[in-house]
Amino acid sequence: MMTKPNPDNRADNVEKLQTAIENTRENIQAANEAIECSSSADIEAIQAKNERRMESINSMEAEIEDEQAARKNGYKSSNQFQ
């Protein structure tokens, strides 16, 4: 038996992304505070992880722009399951 996927509900995607960005920024801040009492190997790992976090923030910000454009255009989608 084949089930139909749930409809694409994008109504709160922008808000979810903004929350994720805030949480990621808080994680960066906490990691930077942890650097003060970390070994040099840990510092390198923390810095690398923070770089990846910044890349994620940049991606989420771009996705917010896409979502806001989709809201403006009424969420038109080529998704065949809608």
Side-chain angles (χ1 to χ4, degrees):
M1 169 165 51
M2 188 168 178
T3 59
K4 183 177 179 182
N6 292 333
D8 186 18
N9 182 0
R10 299 170 67 175
D12 62 350
N13 282 2
V14 171
E15 292 76 12
K16 286 179 181 177
L17 287 165
Q18 288 171 333
T19 299
I21 289 171
E22 290 171 23
N23 292 339
T24 304
R25 285 193 171 128
E26 289 172 8
N27 290 340
I28 290 171
Q29 181 62 35
N32 284 335
E33 291 171 8
I35 284 177
E36 296 174 16
C37 56
S38 298
S39 68
S40 60
D42 289 339
I43 290 172
E44 287 181 30
I46 291 168
Q47 290 172 332
K49 184 153 191 164
N50 278 348
E51 286 178 26
R52 292 190 301 274
R53 286 177 172 139
M54 286 304 301
E55 290 171 6
S56 293
I57 287 173
N58 292 335
S59 295
M60 287 185 281
E61 288 173 338
E63 192 171 345
I64 285 174
E65 290 177 20
D66 291 344
E67 287 294 326
Q68 288 172 331
R71 275 186 182 178
K72 184 177 178 182
N73 295 324
Y75 293 110
K76 295 175 187 160
S77 173
S78 61
N79 186 341
Q80 66 185 14
F81 297 112
Q82 287 188 348

